[in-house]
Amino acid sequence: MLRPQDTATRERKNLDGIWSFRLDSDSAGRSARWHDGPLPGARDMAVPASINDVLADAAARDHIGDIWYQRTVRIPRGWTGQRVALHFESATHRATVWVDDHEVVSHEGGYTPFEADITEHVTAGEEIRVTALVNNTLSFQSIPPGVIEQTPGGPVQRYWHDFFNYAGLHRSVWLSATPQARIEDITVVTDFSGTTGSVFWTVEAAGGDGLDVQVVLRDAEGDEVATGTGASGSLSVPDVHLWAPGDGYLYDLEVRLVDDHGEVHDSVHQSVGVRTVEVRGTEFLVNREPFYFRGFGMHEDHSVIGKAHSNAHLVNDFALLDWIGANSFRTSHYPYSEDVLDYADRHGIVVIDETAAVGLNMGLGGGIFGGQGYTTFSPDTINGTSREVHAQAIRELVARDKNHPSVVLWSIANEPESDTEAAEDYFRPLFDVAREADPTRPVGFVNVMLAPHGKCRVSQFADVLMLNRYYGWYVNTGDLAGAEIAWTEELGGWASEGKPIVITEYGADTLAGNHSLTPQPWSEEYQVDYLDMNHRVFDSVDAVVGEQVWNFADFATTSGIMRVDGNKKGVFTRDRRPKSAAFALRRRWRQEG
Ligand code: BDP
């Protein structure tokens, strides 16, 4: 599936704005067929937005269950004869969609796109009613998992991940028109030798019998550099300008479906960054040169809009990444908006791309986030069905993001239980799923402190070791000297594995404005000292090829005794003001003064 685009043969119409909206905890709307007419009892909701913080309403903040959205839209009058699709960039965590009273699509998973061909239900120039039934419940068979517990006060949604379960239509909704004979998918893989680049393409088309595929590669100035024909093939790029960290140079690949008379039936554009990624021994190579990740685990998280995409925040966050000298981030803990990845491509920022498989660890979250007393992997909890949902999440992530040069490494899960035989059995086939979906990029998962070196049974499958460690915070709290010794020892063990290591999380909760003469946890000074200690440890181990601080900014979490107004491990506050650590990191990462 291609993202909707405006091209010589395609058009799209954005459906963002104010939609009718209604909460439906009892799932009354389905049997009452609310989609058959104007949504009864509707209020307003912005799209894109998480529903939770927009309204001054605890029922919305804490809602569990069905969420109805509706709007009408006129099909542009020039769209006669076109294939018309309705495209959702995301609906968290699942949705069913109707056009008038026709059910057109359902989708599971809150962070990847889906669309429905609605051609048969529309007439150019006429209005349709679009109704989306979004559902935000988490279960043992959803990614991420959760469980609804019945309490005397009513149902409570528990989950084992440390960020607020924001839900809704977080990203844009589109109508798109494509020709009936159309390009359905493009896969691009790149390589280079000396100064010559290679672009391998594969195109899937539909309804295009008798049509030829033509490809044209243009450089950033728009000058043609190579052309080819066929459903797959390779292009040679003389004097190639590589895509590289810090240099987001992009070519444009135009793919056309053309008939014998040279008439173009469909035309789409795919940006291409020519670069290579590979793991060699303990090195992570981009363009055959060692790369060191500097940056953060981030979140899509802002006040009011929650997890919604916002271009102003996107540009601002990347400006801060640039200011601080970061060259990378991880999409912790779910696939981010495609706009984020496009922007990373264009700005030469390297991305570790993660699925929403977070919290598959009931031992870890149990104590912190509530919901104790579950076994992670069992027929009644995370089971074969969950694994199939997880596999599909991996496939959809790769399908969506495979052509982004910024994406250099897949993370198929964050901090799952990984020290048991059940975990080994669960994950072995998922690594195969990822490698089958994308044979060109390394695959890993993020290891939790509870499964240290020697105990983890899943790291054997990973190309890169990604470690989250909190020595000096959750253990050795306030004791940085002891933390340094323990951390150095454990890291030495991992280094003996002969694989590159990225420290994907290290961080300390810090209340902005809380200062201390002596290094006290929660103070800005402690965060700086904590990071310094970690950096001494990393700098002493050759196999460490990256450091990503947890977190870029403070973020919202579920409420509980471990969190005061959210997680405060940000180097920036939630509204992006720097803590002292921001200046310290800037000095290290930009090597200035
Ligand atoms: C790790 C998780 C991350 C949490 C972080 C923390 O990967 O999502 O927010 O720790 O506790 O366990 O701050």
Side-chain angles (χ1 to χ4, degrees):
M1 182 180 32
L2 296 172
R3 200 178 184 196
Q5 358 180 312
D6 290 310
T7 73
T9 58
R10 295 179 169 219
E11 226 178 306
R12 61 188 179 156
K13 177 169 177 167
N14 186 272
L15 268 55
D16 297 355
I18 308 287
W19 289 49
S20 298
F21 157 84
R22 180 163 172 184
L23 300 173
D24 181 19
S25 322
D26 307 327
S27 290
R30 246 190 200 273
S31 42
R33 299 185 64 88
W34 286 352
H35 45 86
D36 279 354
L39 192 59
R43 294 192 274 174
D44 289 340
M45 179 53 66
V47 174
S50 297
I51 62 157
N52 309 78
D53 291 345
V54 170
L55 305 167
D57 182 359
R61 169 81 181 170
D62 301 328
H63 175 76
I64 307 171
D66 288 349
I67 305 160
W68 291 80
Y69 285 89
Q70 193 178 74
R71 65 164 285 170
T72 54
V73 55
R74 189 170 297 278
I75 306 295
R77 63 203 162 103
W79 285 13
T80 309
Q82 302 288 297
R83 174 190 187 263
V84 179
L86 182 59
H87 182 101
F88 288 76
E89 292 190 3
S90 72
T92 314
H93 293 281
R94 63 191 60 75
T96 298
V97 179
W98 291 263
V99 166
D100 297 327
D101 46 10
H102 309 286
E103 184 176 326
V104 293
V105 69
S106 289
H107 180 259
E108 173 70 29
Y111 305 94
T112 42
F114 58 96
E115 70 176 35
D117 180 343
I118 60 169
T119 316
E120 60 174 321
H121 306 303
V122 304
T123 307
E126 310 235 318
E127 272 196 342
I128 54 168
R129 185 180 61 248
V130 176
T131 307
L133 169 54
V134 177
N135 178 283
N136 72 346
T137 55
L138 299 173
S139 73
F140 286 115
Q141 277 66 55
S142 65
I143 294 292
V147 65
I148 293 185
E149 291 178 343
Q150 300 301 335
T151 73
V156 175
Q157 174 78 72
R158 303 261 181 229
Y159 42 89
W160 294 271
H161 54 268
D162 182 33
F163 57 92
F164 189 76
N165 186 32
Y166 281 117
L169 297 178
H170 287 148
R171 300 173 191 160
S172 285
V173 183
W174 301 92
L175 274 181
S176 79
T178 59
Q180 297 292 352
R182 65 194 177 275
I183 294 145
E184 292 257 279
D185 196 20
I186 303 171
T187 307
V188 166
V189 175
T190 62
D191 198 357
F192 68 96
S193 169
T195 58
T196 305
S198 306
V199 176
F200 303 90
W201 84 87
T202 309
V203 171
E204 279 173 34
D209 286 355
L211 301 180
D212 292 326
V213 175
Q214 278 184 358
V215 297
V216 182
L217 190 73
R218 298 185 181 86
D219 63 20
E221 285 74 49
D223 294 329
E224 201 170 294
V225 294
T227 60
T229 53
S232 61
S234 76
L235 298 171
S236 181
V237 188
D239 294 322
V240 65
H241 187 148
L242 296 177
W243 186 96
D247 183 8
Y249 189 91
L250 296 174
Y251 291 86
D252 174 72
L253 184 73
E254 184 186 355
V255 180
R256 297 179 191 143
L257 283 182
V258 186
D259 66 22
D260 293 347
H261 311 291
E263 193 190 327
V264 177
H265 289 247
D266 194 13
S267 157
V268 294
H269 291 264
Q270 171 66 56
S271 50
V272 177
V274 181
R275 59 105 183 94
T276 61
V277 172
E278 103 206 57
V279 167
R280 192 180 59 199
T282 58
E283 291 183 319
F284 192 95
L285 306 180
V286 176
N287 297 337
R288 305 196 184 107
E289 285 172 18
F291 176 69
Y292 191 91
F293 297 77
R294 299 186 307 262
F296 300 95
M298 298 181 76
H299 264 300
E300 291 185 311
D301 177 85
H302 294 280
S303 63
V304 183
I305 63 172
K307 293 218 166 303
H309 176 70
S310 135
N311 282 320
H313 290 303
L314 166 71
V315 174
N316 181 232
D317 282 356
F318 273 71
L320 296 181
L321 290 174
D322 182 50
W323 174 85
I324 207 166
N327 62 11
S328 66
F329 63 87
R330 176 170 59 119
T331 70
S332 42
H333 296 304
Y334 37 82
Y336 289 1
S337 160
E338 290 160 85
D339 289 328
V340 176
L341 294 170
D342 284 346
Y343 206 78
D345 289 346
R346 296 206 331 260
H347 291 266
I349 294 286
V350 169
V351 176
I352 301 175
D353 208 358
E354 188 160 275
T355 68
V358 53
L360 285 72
N361 197 332
M362 277 118 229
L364 171 70
I368 300 179
F369 314 121
Q372 289 104 318
Y374 298 98
T375 303
T376 305
F377 299 106
S378 81
D380 297 329
T381 53
I382 303 201
N383 57 21
T385 307
S386 321
R387 186 168 63 190
E388 196 31 59
V389 175
H390 192 162
Q392 182 62 14
I394 294 170
R395 288 188 204 102
E396 289 189 21
L397 174 69
V398 174
R400 193 194 73 163
D401 292 349
K402 62 189 172 185
N403 293 328
H404 288 284
S406 56
V407 175
V408 300
L409 170 60
W410 304 112
S411 166
I412 65 169
N414 179 72
E415 294 196 345
E417 177 179 305
S418 64
D419 56 348
T420 56
E421 189 179 353
E424 187 176 336
D425 291 345
Y426 178 90
F427 275 102
R428 186 185 296 106
L430 292 180
F431 278 86
D432 295 340
V433 166
R435 293 200 170 96
E436 197 183 315
D438 181 8
T440 72
R441 287 179 182 83
V443 183
F445 81 106
V446 173
N447 163 282
V448 66
M449 192 152 186
L450 293 179
H453 183 249
K455 292 238 171 84
C456 183
R457 299 176 63 148
V458 177
S459 305
Q460 57 175 319
F461 305 124
D463 299 311
V464 176
L465 301 170
M466 291 185 268
L467 307 180
N468 291 355
R469 288 300 180 273
Y470 287 92
Y471 289 99
W473 187 253
Y474 289 121
V475 295
N476 305 98
T477 315
D479 169 19
L480 293 178
E484 187 163 349
I485 293 166
W487 193 187
T488 307
E489 191 184 324
E490 197 206 337
L491 197 52
W494 286 107
S496 70
E497 296 289 325
K499 296 180 183 183
I501 301 170
V502 179
I503 311 303
T504 34
E505 286 184 29
Y506 60 113
D509 280 280
T510 304
L511 188 63
N514 180 27
H515 293 287
S516 174
L517 268 177
T518 58
Q520 296 302 312
W522 291 93
S523 69
E524 295 202 24
E525 289 70 23
Y526 188 79
Q527 190 181 31
V528 171
D529 288 357
Y530 169 95
L531 295 177
D532 280 351
M533 177 278 287
N534 272 274
H535 296 150
R536 282 195 298 278
V537 175
F538 306 161
D539 292 346
S540 71
V541 178
D542 284 346
V544 172
V545 300
E547 54 196 52
Q548 293 188 329
V549 177
W550 191 255
N551 187 284
F552 174 69
D554 294 346
F555 58 91
T557 64
T558 187
S559 42
I561 53 170
M562 294 287 288
R563 300 284 179 255
V564 186
D565 188 33
N567 188 308
K568 294 283 186 279
K569 295 192 185 70
V571 164
F572 296 93
T573 60
R574 198 180 190 210
D575 58 357
R576 276 42 179 180
R577 280 177 288 171
K579 301 180 189 172
S580 303
F583 299 96
L585 280 170
R586 186 172 197 262
R587 280 192 291 277
R588 173 174 168 86
W589 288 348
R590 296 188 79 106
Q591 299 286 311
E592 286 168 7

